[in-house]
Amino acid sequence: MTLAVYNTETRSKQVFEPVEEGKVCMYVCGPTVYDDCHVGHARTYVAFDTIRRYLEYKGYGVTYIQNFTDVDDKIIARAVEKGVPPLVLSERYVQEYFDDMGRLNVRRASIHPKASETIPDMIIVIQGLIEKGYAYEVNRSVYFEVEKARDIFGKLRHQSLEDMRDGARIEVDEEKRSPKDFALWKAAKPGEISWDSPWGRGRPGWHIECSTMSWKYIGRTLDIHGGGMDLIFPHHESEILQAEAYTGQQFVKYWLHNGFLEIDREKMSKSLGNFFTIKQVLERYDPMVLRFFLVYTHYRSPIDFSDAAMEEAATAFGRLTRLHMLLKDTAGELEEGVIPDLGEPDEDVLKTAFGLRKDFLEAMDDDFNTRVAIATFFEMDSKVKDLQKAGRLDRKHAYVLLSTMEELTAVLGLVFVEKEGRGIGGELAGGLVQLLIELRTEARSRKDWATADLIRDRLKGLGVRLEDGATTTWKLER
Ligand code: AMP
Ligand code: ZN
């Protein structure tokens, strides 16, 4: 089966053929870390986590780069407000990001480079752009001269330079040769965080960070570049200009952009104030209900966030959870990784399982259509009810359907955590959590923060929240 993806650049669905057979290099723009993430951010990162999972399921080796924008006006302003150094503030929100995403079962990227740690590389690229005649210095700032790259301009915006009115959604600045030009390096303002550069102290512009990181960590045409639709212009258009002017190569093969999470038809955003943080939503809902809510819409369509929509998702996910529980209970004790010898399943049940998998994969191959893919689980639910009615839901049949369901829900990053009193609340699971807490305490005493955080994040992803005090205690999130 072939995967087709919708490419914003060609405005069409195309067969997905990565540059190198069997390998996918993808880059997704990361958050600006000055506050807790809202559910709009969750939408984007869950969407690309699901895309990555599916590519891996299909057998690709995936390298996933996602940056943290930790040098930015908003961070500086918030740090001044709170009276903390900007990098202390941003580091705190990097950790909050990992915490929130861990709960939503969003896997960490292969690399999470930070802008603050990539400045020497950005300087190399900016110098290169000046040497090649694409950028100029004025008053210790450096700008990209868009006019010089007119052949490259417009790939995503689908407009020529002439069609773009000066000053429309771009800063008009006396210093620049043209209002269309954008900053690669900004001269430091008094008291602001800054770094040394050939042009004096200053800090990089936003767009240059992603072009530089792609070049530094991948060094060739990216197979996929992603982000929310708001990034198409000017951010991604500017990334193309910088990267292609610098390397002379195609920057990205497939541009994927997800739709917004909206409230009353308006994009959820910090600036509009119409947002709910992930933490707020998870006070009321299971993390898997939120993830299900997000993947139950195709990634390019808008999602309307409301209480009613969340309740609907909770009900639908509840149905799948009950289906999973029923299959698990019926299949009985299973040893992890071992295919049990339960006898030959009936042909029609095998066919049903294969058919459901085929439908699921066909939907995912169609530009990652998770909405249609999820419908196969509801179909499975109906089939299971039929089998039950006919008295044919025995161990072997439950096992065939359960393994299909678990294989496919894992592609969507959905896990079914058992409720208290069934698995996790039981003696063995409780003992295991306690053992992990002891290992974590031991890691902390060695100052091995990475291991300590990993244990905390992974438990959190499973719905177990650790609370550090004189001793560490745990409780279930639900
Ligand atoms: P920011 O931190 O604002 O730069 O955003 C980080 C990522 O989250 C970008 O890819 C945005 O497109 C995405 N994003 C922000 N708000 C929303 C939203 N309401 N719906 C979907 N994605 C969003
Ligand atoms: Zn970016």
Side-chain angles (χ1 to χ4, degrees):
M1 284 189 282
T2 32
L3 170 65
V5 300
Y6 183 89
N7 184 355
T8 310
E9 182 175 339
T10 58
R11 291 197 272 201
S12 62
K13 255 188 229 172
Q14 291 175 282
V15 172
F16 181 71
E17 282 167 349
V19 176
E20 254 176 277
E21 210 184 307
K23 283 195 185 149
V24 175
C25 294
M26 61 190 276
Y27 185 101
V28 175
C29 295
T32 308
V33 272
Y34 70 104
D35 207 342
D36 278 324
C37 283
H38 56 63
V39 280
H41 296 121
R43 204 247 162 132
T44 289
Y45 300 117
V46 164
F48 285 99
D49 178 65
T50 306
I51 288 173
R52 172 213 204 161
R53 284 170 186 269
Y54 187 57
L55 292 168
E56 287 182 349
Y57 176 88
K58 282 184 83 75
Y60 291 109
V62 180
T63 305
Y64 181 177
I65 316 282
Q66 190 187 300
N67 63 310
F68 281 114
T69 299
D70 62 348
V71 179
D72 175 84
D73 287 340
K74 286 187 278 236
I75 298 174
I76 295 173
R78 183 63 59 90
V80 169
E81 201 182 296
K82 301 237 170 184
V84 291
L87 290 179
V88 171
L89 181 96
S90 56
E91 187 53 35
R92 179 183 153 195
Y93 288 109
V94 165
Q95 293 312 319
E96 296 294 349
Y97 168 88
F98 283 136
D99 255 31
D100 291 343
M101 296 300 152
R103 292 174 74 187
L104 294 175
N105 202 20
V106 170
R107 284 167 50 204
R108 292 199 183 201
S110 321
I111 310 172
H112 280 280
K114 293 178 187 147
S116 62
E117 293 168 356
T118 319
I119 290 179
D121 308 281
M122 292 194 232
I123 290 174
I124 292 172
V125 175
I126 298 171
Q127 273 180 314
L129 287 170
I130 296 176
E131 277 159 27
K132 288 171 198 266
Y134 288 103
Y136 58 93
E137 182 196 346
V138 51
N139 295 336
R140 302 192 302 146
S141 288
V142 181
Y143 295 97
F144 188 94
E145 190 164 8
V146 177
E147 178 61 39
K148 293 274 166 63
R150 62 163 50 244
D151 296 346
I152 309 171
F153 184 86
K155 285 193 174 179
L156 296 181
R157 196 176 159 91
H158 301 111
Q159 261 187 359
S160 72
L161 215 44
E162 278 67 35
D163 294 334
M164 217 185 95
R165 272 189 300 124
D166 285 356
R169 290 189 59 200
I170 48 174
E171 267 171 76
V172 179
D173 187 326
E174 297 287 295
E175 239 175 40
K176 300 193 277 189
R177 289 184 191 164
S178 155
K180 291 174 186 122
D181 297 350
F182 56 87
L184 298 172
W185 186 262
K186 299 176 179 182
K189 295 191 191 122
E192 231 177 51
I193 185 169
S194 60
W195 286 263
D196 277 328
S197 83
W199 316 285
R201 288 191 72 82
R203 62 191 167 95
W206 172 35
H207 312 312
I208 193 67
E209 145 184 359
C210 297
S211 308
T212 303
M213 289 168 180
S214 309
W215 164 75
K216 178 175 178 184
Y217 292 104
I218 305 294
R220 64 145 165 93
T221 300
L222 294 170
D223 299 298
I224 292 177
H225 192 320
M229 283 181 185
D230 52 334
L231 299 188
I232 295 175
F233 187 86
H235 185 54
H236 288 163
E237 192 74 52
S238 306
E239 280 187 33
I240 297 177
L241 294 178
Q242 299 162 148
E244 300 199 351
Y246 182 69
T247 64
Q249 287 174 25
Q250 183 185 20
F251 178 40
V252 172
K253 209 163 169 197
Y254 305 97
W255 282 97
L256 269 52
H257 291 102
N258 61 279
F260 295 139
L261 182 118
E262 303 175 337
I263 287 199
D264 295 333
R265 311 223 163 270
E266 216 162 5
K267 179 192 168 208
M268 177 178 284
S269 75
K270 283 271 151 67
S271 53
L272 291 172
N274 61 347
F275 66 91
F276 291 97
T277 64
I278 296 170
K279 291 185 203 329
Q280 283 170 331
V281 175
L282 295 191
E283 276 168 20
R284 297 182 51 201
Y285 292 98
D286 185 292
M288 282 301 112
V289 168
L290 178 55
R291 182 159 180 135
F292 177 83
F293 168 74
L294 296 171
V295 293
Y296 198 30
T297 301
H298 182 233
Y299 77 95
R300 293 200 314 114
S301 306
I303 303 184
D304 192 41
F305 183 81
S306 66
D307 276 353
M310 282 301 293
E311 287 302 327
E312 231 173 85
T315 305
F317 190 66
R319 188 173 158 200
L320 297 188
T321 306
R322 281 193 301 281
L323 168 65
H324 181 259
M325 247 180 334
L326 170 67
L327 293 175
K328 212 165 170 207
D329 284 347
T330 313
E333 288 287 313
L334 297 168
E335 208 180 321
E336 182 84 34
V338 177
I339 299 176
D341 184 12
L342 301 172
E344 195 63 30
D346 293 348
E347 207 178 310
D348 66 317
V349 178
L350 272 183
K351 265 196 182 153
T352 298
F354 288 152
L356 291 172
R357 182 190 285 105
K358 187 168 162 282
D359 291 348
F360 179 95
L361 301 183
E362 264 172 20
M364 290 300 281
D365 274 341
D366 183 15
D367 194 29
F368 312 102
N369 197 332
T370 49
R371 172 104 193 165
V372 175
I374 284 173
T376 56
F377 301 128
F378 295 118
E379 208 179 310
M380 182 185 283
D381 192 38
S382 309
K383 295 261 178 355
V384 166
K385 288 200 173 105
D386 291 345
L387 280 177
Q388 231 180 347
K389 267 190 222 140
R392 294 174 59 217
L393 189 66
D394 55 9
R395 273 197 83 184
K396 61 178 183 300
H397 291 154
Y399 174 75
V400 167
L401 294 164
L402 175 69
S403 50
T404 307
M405 184 181 192
E406 288 188 342
E407 172 191 325
L408 302 179
T409 45
V411 171
L412 304 177
L414 295 172
V415 281
F416 301 95
V417 183
E418 303 206 353
K419 299 279 185 231
E420 205 159 1
R422 281 176 48 89
I424 191 76
E427 230 174 69
L428 175 63
L432 288 174
V433 172
Q434 205 51 48
L435 171 65
L436 285 167
I437 291 178
E438 283 167 29
L439 291 173
R440 180 170 170 270
T441 308
E442 215 250 317
R444 276 156 58 106
S445 67
R446 286 197 315 268
K447 298 203 183 328
D448 179 0
W449 309 118
T451 304
D453 289 350
L454 179 76
I455 294 175
R456 189 197 50 202
D457 291 354
R458 292 292 281 273
L459 283 173
K460 208 166 193 180
L462 293 169
V464 179
R465 180 190 274 275
L466 299 188
E467 282 171 1
D468 291 323
T471 57
T472 301
T473 54
W474 65 276
K475 66 173 190 208
L476 285 178
E477 298 274 19
R478 63 213 69 241

